[in-house]
Amino acid sequence: MKKILTGIKPTGDFTLGNYIGAIKQMVSMQEEYDSYLFVADLHALTIPQDPKELHERLKKFIAMYIACGIDPKKNTIYLQSENEYIPAMSYLLECTTQYGEASRMIQFKEKSKEHSNFSVGLLTYPVLMAADILYCDADYVPVGIDQKQHVELARDIAERFNHRYGDTFVLPEPMISKSGVKIRDLKDPTKKMSKSEENPQGVISMFDTKEDIEKKIMRATTDSDNQIKYDMDHKPGISNLLNIASSITGRTIEELEKEFDGQGYGTFKKYVASITSEHIMKIQEKYQQLLNGKELDQILDEGIQKSRTLAKGKYDLMKQRMGVIR
Ligand code: ATP
Ligand code: LTN
């Protein structure tokens, strides 16, 4: 069975974009692949975080993954920071990574401009990500297009290590979903719905109340021609709502266009608001049960045990190959 692995940084509330773009995709693949899913809490630290808020988000994210349909029996689920072999591997990989490669990463260039006095962690971010991927010999890494460059760097680092020290790593490939849609910000549909967005009005959090979800959708920015037609270039607002409705119900865009033909934006928005809020409320019900129960700790204990065993094996092999053993 081929392995897939992905992680999400807990840098803000888990959004509808993360659900549709990342978790739903993992759910649809969990039968066919040996799947690894983690919370990338060490990666969150590359930009300053409030420790209390970050801590509270960790279990919330895990509970949300499972409430969204990730089956703990079919996935290895864990917190990145509980596997100490990953940062240890990352150091060894740093010594096989060129400074030029790391500093050419687009995310590094952008974020280092945004934050004055940025940390060294921001530069080594993709090397830690390489360790995340390489320790378990992941074949495919489902990510958004913005992370493709990081997965390709992980592959380059692995290839160089294999060449220099002998076969050690499987070469991973990014898996960019063709069908996976990008959910846009409801207030500014030209940009991605993102958990670090400052204006919450354009972002649906999976923890929002039913009323908030409905309000945000009813107030979503749309054009003025009142036609329910998919056209991302000229009608990004309404196209975004069509994408959301289609992802949630499994119905095609054409079916939805036909059903709401001539009915105007108000009626369509009400429909999207109602199916989206109901869908998220069902997920929240399951989420609450998980958060209140004991199951979560057991899932994390099992996940980290498996993850640590694999990472220790790979770390020891790397050290042996590199000559740093007694
Ligand atoms: P940040 O604001 O910190 O960049 P983000 O919410 O944009 O965070 P990431 O943590 O970078 O999300 O992404 C986690 C996963 O969720 C990735 O696989 C990414 O492709 C997916 N994802 C995030 N936002 C969206 C979106 N709006 N539409 C579709 N997929 C998304
Ligand atoms: N950098 C990714 C999160 C991430 C990740 C990973 C994704 C950290 N480690 C390993 C895939 C594989 C992001 O910002 N979305």
Side-chain angles (χ1 to χ4, degrees):
M1 212 183 215
K2 294 275 188 190
K3 273 187 192 168
I4 52 173
L5 168 142
T6 200
I8 299 185
K9 261 180 311 178
T11 43
D13 263 357
F14 193 87
T15 71
L16 182 66
N18 297 137
Y19 169 56
I20 293 176
I23 298 302
K24 253 177 152 263
Q25 200 194 349
M26 285 297 278
V27 171
S28 72
M29 293 189 294
Q30 63 188 2
E31 310 290 336
E32 271 174 82
Y33 292 93
D34 183 11
S35 311
Y36 290 68
L37 181 60
F38 62 96
V39 174
D41 48 355
L42 295 177
H43 275 107
L45 297 174
T46 52
I47 304 287
Q49 303 290 326
D50 178 83
K52 189 166 171 280
E53 280 177 22
L54 179 61
H55 167 71
E56 279 165 7
R57 255 183 239 133
L58 304 186
K59 272 196 175 170
K60 278 174 83 175
F61 266 54
I62 297 287
M64 196 38 99
Y65 289 171
I66 299 164
C68 289
I70 293 291
D71 182 344
K73 293 202 175 66
K74 297 186 182 124
N75 291 265
T76 305
I77 303 170
Y78 56 95
L79 297 180
Q80 180 191 34
S81 61
E82 290 193 343
N83 190 339
E84 67 276 27
Y85 295 104
I86 289 177
M89 265 182 72
S90 178
Y91 173 74
L92 299 181
L93 293 173
E94 277 172 27
C95 299
T96 345
T97 307
Q98 293 159 7
Y99 173 79
E101 278 175 322
S103 57
R104 269 197 299 277
M105 292 292 112
I106 296 164
Q107 184 174 306
F108 171 71
K109 287 204 230 165
E110 285 176 359
K111 300 240 163 167
S112 56
K113 259 190 234 139
E114 272 169 43
H115 303 267
S116 55
N117 296 328
F118 58 86
S119 67
V120 175
L122 202 59
L123 177 70
T124 55
Y125 181 113
V127 190
L128 179 61
M129 186 160 157
D132 284 334
I133 298 168
L134 299 177
Y135 88 87
C136 71
D137 289 325
D139 297 284
Y140 302 108
V141 185
V143 280
I145 192 82
D146 60 318
Q147 295 296 315
K148 184 166 173 258
Q149 200 189 24
H150 288 163
V151 181
E152 286 166 351
L153 178 64
R155 189 185 171 90
D156 291 346
I157 298 172
E159 214 165 8
R160 184 174 305 131
F161 193 100
N162 285 352
H163 183 71
R164 201 177 281 174
Y165 300 108
D167 247 5
T168 309
F169 301 117
V170 164
L171 303 184
E173 273 179 52
M175 189 188 241
I176 314 288
S177 143
K178 288 194 187 68
S179 57
V181 288
K182 181 163 97 178
I183 303 303
R184 315 284 183 116
D185 187 282
L186 297 173
K187 278 290 164 204
D188 178 0
T190 59
K191 59 181 198 193
K192 181 179 99 155
M193 184 182 283
S194 176
K195 57 177 132 59
S196 49
E197 167 60 39
E198 308 238 310
N199 179 4
Q201 293 313 314
V203 180
I204 295 185
S205 152
M206 294 298 286
F207 307 108
D208 273 349
T209 63
K210 190 170 192 303
E211 292 69 35
D212 277 346
I213 297 168
E214 289 172 353
K215 230 187 272 165
K216 287 179 187 178
I217 294 177
M218 291 309 291
R219 291 180 189 161
T221 303
T222 40
D223 55 77
S224 55
D225 86 354
N226 225 19
Q227 287 227 31
I228 294 140
K229 192 107 204 78
Y230 191 90
D231 178 352
M232 199 43 101
D233 291 335
H234 303 104
K235 295 162 72 64
I238 212 71
S239 305
N240 189 34
L241 293 181
L242 278 163
N243 272 335
I244 293 175
S246 166
S247 303
I248 285 194
T249 58
R251 300 174 68 189
T252 65
I253 302 274
E254 294 73 37
E255 256 180 84
L256 292 163
E257 282 174 339
K258 225 186 238 167
E259 180 177 336
F260 289 93
D261 186 33
Q263 296 203 42
Y265 289 170
T267 313
F268 181 59
K269 277 184 171 176
K270 241 186 225 157
Y271 168 75
V272 182
S274 129
I275 51 156
T276 309
S277 63
E278 272 167 32
H279 190 82
I280 297 180
M281 286 310 111
K282 273 202 204 113
I283 292 177
Q284 282 187 13
E285 234 173 81
K286 183 137 188 251
Y287 163 82
Q288 274 308 336
Q289 287 168 3
L290 280 159
L291 213 55
N292 298 334
K294 293 206 173 76
E295 208 182 331
L296 222 50
D297 277 317
Q298 199 185 331
I299 292 167
L300 285 174
D301 287 347
E302 279 170 23
I304 199 58
Q305 200 183 338
K306 183 167 166 198
S307 167
R308 284 182 82 242
T309 306
L310 283 173
K312 180 176 187 326
K314 197 61 99 179
Y315 177 62
D316 288 346
L317 178 63
M318 286 176 81
K319 282 178 61 188
Q320 188 195 331
R321 293 261 150 97
M322 296 175 101
V324 280
I325 40 160
R326 220 194 303 162

